[in-house]
Amino acid sequence: MTLNSCSTERKLTFQKNRPLALVPLPLSVKYNDGNFILTKSTKIIALSQGKETRDIAEYLSQQLKTLCGFDLDVITSNEIKSNAIVVKISNKSGTPEAYTLSATMKNVVIDGAGGSGLFYGVQTFLQMAYPQYSDKSTITIPCTEIADKPEFEWRGMHLDVCRHFFPVEFVKKMIDMLAMQKMNTFHWHLTDDQGWRVEIKQYPKLTSIGAWRDETLVGHLDRKPEKYDGIRYGGFYTQDQIREVVKYAQSRYITIVPEIEMPGHAVAALSAYPEYSCTGGPFKVYPKWGITEDAYCAGKEGTFEFLENVLSEVADLFPGKYIHVGGDECLKNRWKECPDCQKRMKDENLANETELQSYFIKRMEIFLNSKGKKMIGWDEILEGELPARATVMSWRGYQGGIEAARSGHNVVMTPTSHCYFDFYQSQDRSKEPLSIGNFLPLDRVYAFNPVPADLSDNEATHILGAQANVWTEYMATDKQVEYMVFPRICAMAEVVWTPRNQQKFSDFVTRLEKHVKRLEKYGVNYRALKN
Ligand code: TNX
């Protein structure tokens, strides 16, 4: 028997296990007879095309080692050989994220339309390799022809590192897990009332003061009387650490979208620089959850100068095209009583404070565009008038997204009804960790359609995709974030990757039962697949 022939026994094992437990489900999988038998002598061949192909080949080798304990040699060659996994970028499918994977008894060829496509082909291959067909000396890869590409271009997850702070290692782990499921966007919520988490060289107090709160609320915000723990809490990322994470994400084809909140959710910044508020403070980094009254002053020029300087450093740190400016939940009470804000409204002919918010956001958009960046913000940036080119993240339901798409703006869908992973996963709360409230079970995430039914086909082209939001008021530890994220993110990954007419919840759950073994291998604390 030659190495690559298929024994009857192996074939039977494979037949029994059909279909492959791939998450997200690829566009098309055709099963052929036989298997490719991967052994310790199988080579990974990077077709001689330069660094990108080689890097992905190295990544494949590394991951196979982690998952299956196989340490395969990577070679660069012009030739496609047998007993090899060949990676190359030559597919002409249009979107760079497309790939084909052809597994025959001779070899496996993964061909990306771009680096990202090749990377996703590698992810599919890794899922074919683990867990179902492994033993100690061989890995049985069923003969298949796969052609795959994503349904949506924005496939994301957001993580709030302000309410609770999460270290670089954990952020990298989340990036790996997103990449495994062919997600491509990580929205990093870096500033909020409860902490400022990114070093800004020009304003050191943002982190020496703004990254630390004196104490934290204990229990749920609704519980009265309020109780605090009396423990100083905080942390931040240095610019070097940010660069390190950006590079890590790039190598996994994940774009990071940094969020710097304005004009509300700014109390941590104002505790460090109260001169950019309406009242002058003093302020304390907020120790509890909810919405605060104080915001950046929209009247003082100094506020804009400060934010532009901050955004300049942020623009330099993050190579992606989007910068998120928040824009949500800004109470206008202070602006109503602030002589500077009122003067600004008069000078700029603004009818009310809502228009002042719009003035604020539009001004920031002009600045971001001048830095070569695109603005994205929560759907409150629709209030007053939408900045000319901004992308809207629709969170208070579908309506903001519908309105934005109709006016020709791009949209990322993230309605609370399907995308808020801080909601409970069971109706029986007694067995769940304390959460913010509400209910978002796995099947509801899976049922999510990012394209609202009432959009025309043309309007629907503005829906870039969707993301899950992970607000961490009630998630103090890595383990708890993982519990809230997994497996719901697996459902979200399929929502944004797989065409809707191929999605079937019962089939997804069958695949998920095997898929969670991969999560286990990476030490992810996922919620068990029960009700
Ligand atoms: C609303 S979603 C917020 C966050 C909270 C979240 C809790 C959004 C733009 N703002 O500040 O953490 O609800 O679910």
Side-chain angles (χ1 to χ4, degrees), residues 489-510:
I489 199 71
C490 310
M492 185 61 77
E494 191 148 312
V495 162
V496 287
W497 181 276
T498 306
R500 199 164 161 75
N501 61 10
Q502 293 187 36
Q503 292 168 10
K504 195 171 159 213
F505 186 65
S506 56
D507 173 61
F508 166 71
V509 171
T510 309

Side-chain angles (χ1 to χ4, degrees), residues 336-349:
K336 284 193 179 125
E337 281 160 19
C338 168
D340 294 322
C341 289
Q342 293 304 311
K343 178 166 184 310
R344 172 83 70 195
M345 283 165 57
K346 211 163 139 238
D347 292 350
E348 299 289 336
N349 236 328

Side-chain angles (χ1 to χ4, degrees), residues 160 163 189 192 259 261 265 290 328-329 378 380 395 416 420 422-423 436 469 471-473:
D160 166 12
R163 276 54 179 270
H189 185 78
D192 214 308
E259 180 178 355
E261 278 264 26
H265 284 293
D328 59 309
E329 301 181 320
W378 301 111
E380 284 93 334
W395 73 279
T416 50
Y420 271 51
D422 52 345
F423 292 178
I436 196 161
N469 291 337
W471 299 104
T472 58
E473 288 94 332

Side-chain angles (χ1 to χ4, degrees), residues 160-223:
D160 166 12
V161 294
C162 302
R163 276 54 179 270
H164 286 99
F165 179 68
F166 301 94
V168 164
E169 284 318 308
F170 180 70
V171 172
K172 286 183 175 171
K173 182 178 180 184
M174 288 301 102
I175 285 171
D176 277 329
M177 294 302 99
L178 293 178
M180 178 167 95
Q181 300 175 109
K182 305 186 175 79
M183 309 283 270
N184 66 358
T185 306
F186 177 64
H187 170 175
W188 210 354
H189 185 78
L190 288 166
T191 75
D192 214 308
D193 300 310
Q194 296 80 3
W196 182 284
R197 306 283 178 227
V198 50
E199 177 189 26
I200 301 293
K201 300 277 188 199
Q202 204 178 332
Y203 299 101
K205 285 191 285 181
L206 283 172
T207 42
S208 65
I209 295 175
W212 307 94
R213 58 182 181 250
D214 291 341
E215 54 186 357
T216 303
L217 183 77
V218 177
H220 199 277
L221 182 62
D222 291 344
R223 193 179 71 172

